[in-house]
Amino acid sequence: MFNPFKRRTFLQAVVAVAATTTFGCSDSDAETSDPSAGSPFFPQSLASGDPRPDSVILWVRVEDAARASADLTLRLEVSTTQDFASLVLDKKDLTAQAAHDHAVKVKVTGLSPRTTYYYRFSYEKDGQKNTTRVGRTRTAPAAGDDVSVKFVFASCQDFIGRYYNAWQRLLQLDADLDFVVFLGDYVYETTGDTSFQSSGGGRSVRFSEPEGALAQGTGLTAFLAANTVSNYRDLYKTVRSDRQLQAVHERYPFIITWDDHEFSDDCWKDVATYEDGKRDETQLERKHNAEQAFLEYIPLDTAQTADGVVDVDAEPRFPNTRIYRDFEYGRHLKLLVTDYRSYRPDHLIPEDAWPGSVALDETLLGAGLQGQPDAVKQVFQADTFAYVNLDDAAYAAQKQVLQGVYLKQAKDAGLTDAEAAQKAGTWVKGPVALFYVNQVLQAAGYAALVIPPAGKPRGLAYVHMGKSSLFNIQGSRYVVVKDTFDLFAGVKYQLSAGKSEDVFGPDQEAWFNQTLTTATNTWKMVVSSTSLSALIWDLRAKSDIADPSLRQRFYFSVDQWDGFPTKKKVMLNTLKAKGVQNALFLSGDIHASFASVEEGVPTLTAPGITSGSIKSLAGLALLGAGYASGAPVYQYAVANMEKTLKDSNAGLRFADTDSHGFVMVEVKADETLATFHLIPAAEVAKDYSKRDDSELEAKFKATTFRVKNSDIQPA
């Protein structure tokens, strides 16, 4: 990409060099380096974000090893011309505080709408002026302006063992974008989690204070997870050291939200999930550390600063965090940026749930089945759903055996004797599903204690939703039986008055509804870090699958919106009921590309920039579970994943589960065009920045869809 002999790159360098001589510098202003390369005092270059018609946030970080503990003074210059001949802002007294890792965000106000501005920071040392590269940003059009808007949205840029070829391709396209939306997982908090991260190659993350990190896994699977402020800062410094990412930030303003990996994988509120329910992982201090680094390194303003340096210390922290916000882009676009992680409840199926525990007893199951066809009700009369109360004196012998089995399984999973006993006391009691406990009794050699199901009440247990073992993501966060899970979720939603699926929290919910229903813009686009496309494996009619328990419908992931099915349906149907026209959801997280219509509302999902594709991750999971690549389940769920997903969701218009890339969106008065720019996931370990541009161009494929009249179709 950065071939010095290419005419365009050469001319840009000439312009940048010329810009440094515009002011007729005195000796004290002499440059120490070529600004087209950027001073080594600015190792993460610069960035801009949250563009509005009259303001933008500008970001930089300065690094002077000789003055690591001192606050440093910077100068910021902003101009409408790349040669900086005429300045609209010249601030010479910016303070980059050591307390914030010498990162500084500046809100520049009083700008003109839909205008391109150039900016640079400089740091003077020993009489020499050290300058960043020249950044370019653009303000939003004024409210009511009849203009089209073009932007890119993307997500998930794991650094370890991977290269940012997608960002390089965006630079090749040289598109005239208004902004870039990043949907979350800007950084990944782990140093080499072998369950999804590459361990080899020339790209790695190393913590400068590894003693403060969280040690996870053992032996060959051991890795570290960020914990301290220093750890989280190291993530951003490492990721932002990539030249391709730097160049995109230098060229376009970003609008960024977070997902889970900015704090912890599959998190909710301030709770991590590494232990899968073995222990309480509420980590308030760690959450605050993650937020501090995010707010220091990401160019956004949650404190609504009037102008000048954004006071990071004044930006609210969990549980009062507020990064949800909206943007007006002329007459045709209202953009709502939501926060899926900070207020949402736990996953509906606890990771430590004992499979035999009944989640809905006879009464609650009956309530959940009201209004269902008789054929559906009849299904739940099968012996599979029979249960007994394990606390009844008649089942004392069975309870003793089951508790003993549980204690062994819990200790084998790494719990201490005391922890295992506490968990057993919590779970191995009350209503239990005979479908599960009878299998456990038989396997333990106590066939004589098996309990006949005849005449017993019917209920829904966690095993009926796919939970087959203790402390596991399968059957809790991933690969959940859809029909029983939907039933369970609906009952919980009613019992809790919606709190079981309160994704946004009351304040964000009020903002969301108010903003969407009052917006007069042609298009109302909602940024959600996780996908709204229903990802279903419908295996009910697959007679070549021998195990009948697998011939069901499964949600692939209930960490995304599929995990809150009642809320998702209520939210989307409320938009239609309130007459919200041209709503469109933009999402990411799942490492795949989708275009679908959910409850009559279009939704687009971007692939990961680099992070392992959903197909590769699903393949590893099934192989690890003992399914060979030739097994029917593997064929449906992995090899033919796109076909299975499309066959299982009538609203799914497009699926690519094994590519990286981004989506370019053009918003017009009468339609929106969305183009997926995709490269095979297998290319992610190759560094194309050291190759000719044509090689990378040949690897990418562009597919365009038209969003119009609440539908998505190929353009």
Side-chain angles (χ1 to χ4, degrees), residues 393-404:
Y395 305 118
Q398 288 91 340
K399 183 174 183 178
Q400 183 177 4
V401 172
L402 292 168
Q403 285 184 328

Side-chain angles (χ1 to χ4, degrees), residues 691-710:
R691 306 185 184 196
D692 187 83
D693 283 1
S694 60
E695 289 190 51
L696 182 61
E697 181 180 0
K699 294 293 183 180
F700 268 86
K701 178 181 178 181
T703 304
T704 302
F705 291 87
R706 176 175 285 106
V707 185
K708 192 171 185 177
N709 299 325
S710 300

Side-chain angles (χ1 to χ4, degrees), residues 351-399:
E351 290 90 340
D352 66 335
W354 190 47
S357 292
V358 171
L360 299 180
D361 62 16
E362 185 176 40
T363 300
L364 292 177
L365 178 60
L369 290 172
Q370 283 185 359
Q372 294 291 332
D374 290 341
V376 173
K377 294 179 180 178
Q378 191 62 36
V379 168
F380 289 93
Q381 293 306 308
D383 288 348
T384 303
F385 297 96
Y387 72 91
V388 297
N389 187 340
L390 198 60
D391 295 331
D392 288 351
Y395 305 118
Q398 288 91 340
K399 183 174 183 178

Side-chain angles (χ1 to χ4, degrees), residues 156 162-163 166 591 593 607-613 656 658-662 677-684 700:
C156 304
R162 299 174 166 103
Y163 294 90
H591 305 181
S593 301
I609 290 291
T610 55
S611 307
S613 71
D656 185 313
D658 203 23
S659 296
H660 299 306
F662 54 87
H677 292 266
L678 303 177
I679 184 173
E683 302 296 320
V684 75
F700 268 86

Side-chain angles (χ1 to χ4, degrees), residues 428-591:
V428 190
K429 64 180 183 179
V432 295
L434 297 182
F435 173 73
Y436 178 77
V437 300
N438 282 344
Q439 292 182 63
V440 174
L441 291 170
Q442 287 180 322
Y446 292 89
L449 295 180
V450 166
I451 305 168
K456 304 300 189 294
R458 270 40 178 169
L460 185 68
Y462 292 113
V463 68
H464 300 129
M465 292 180 269
K467 193 77 163 60
S468 60
S469 61
L470 310 182
F471 318 123
N472 202 323
I473 64 172
Q474 294 173 354
S476 58
R477 303 201 304 271
Y478 296 90
V479 194
V480 168
V481 179
K482 178 187 186 305
D483 297 292
T484 48
F485 178 78
D486 286 349
L487 177 62
F488 168 67
V491 173
K492 291 272 288 184
Y493 189 90
Q494 293 297 322
L495 291 174
S496 65
K499 290 184 179 179
S500 61
E501 300 185 35
D502 186 12
V503 177
F504 289 151
D507 292 342
Q508 184 176 198
E509 179 90 8
W511 161 82
F512 179 81
N513 289 328
Q514 173 73 10
T515 305
L516 272 181
T517 55
T518 59
T520 59
N521 310 74
T522 306
W523 294 90
K524 278 70 70 174
M525 297 191 184
V526 180
V527 171
S528 171
S529 64
T530 65
S531 180
L532 278 87
S533 289
L535 304 184
I536 304 164
W537 294 335
D538 188 351
L539 306 180
R540 292 174 298 181
K542 309 303 184 184
S543 58
D544 52 343
I545 297 178
D547 185 349
S549 68
L550 295 177
R551 294 199 295 269
Q552 303 191 70
R553 290 195 295 180
F554 295 90
Y555 283 128
F556 174 75
S557 169
V558 292
D559 185 56
Q560 64 168 33
W561 277 94
D562 281 345
F564 298 116
T566 322
K567 180 64 177 181
K568 173 183 168 183
K569 180 172 287 198
V570 168
M571 175 179 68
L572 296 178
N573 281 294
T574 298
L575 296 183
K576 292 188 293 182
K578 292 187 176 182
V580 176
Q581 299 293 316
N582 293 326
L584 174 62
F585 280 77
L586 312 174
S587 56
D589 178 59
I590 200 64
H591 305 181

Side-chain angles (χ1 to χ4, degrees), residues 136-218:
R136 186 183 76 177
T137 191
R138 175 185 285 178
T139 51
D145 281 1
D146 185 6
V147 294
S148 62
V149 179
K150 183 181 285 188
F151 65 93
V152 155
F153 70 96
S155 72
C156 304
Q157 54 183 17
D158 194 6
F159 182 88
I160 297 176
R162 299 174 166 103
Y163 294 90
Y164 294 158
N165 301 320
W167 287 135
Q168 183 177 343
R169 178 59 182 154
L170 178 57
L171 293 167
Q172 282 184 348
L173 292 173
D174 195 21
D176 186 24
L177 302 180
D178 288 283
F179 56 91
V180 173
V181 174
F182 200 85
L183 301 146
D185 295 344
Y186 189 94
V187 296
Y188 278 69
E189 84 282 16
T190 52
T191 58
D193 181 349
T194 56
S195 67
F196 72 98
Q197 289 180 315
S198 304
S199 56
R203 307 258 281 190
S204 61
V205 173
R206 291 181 174 84
F207 294 137
S208 56
E209 297 178 359
E211 66 278 4
L214 295 178
Q216 301 293 321
T218 58

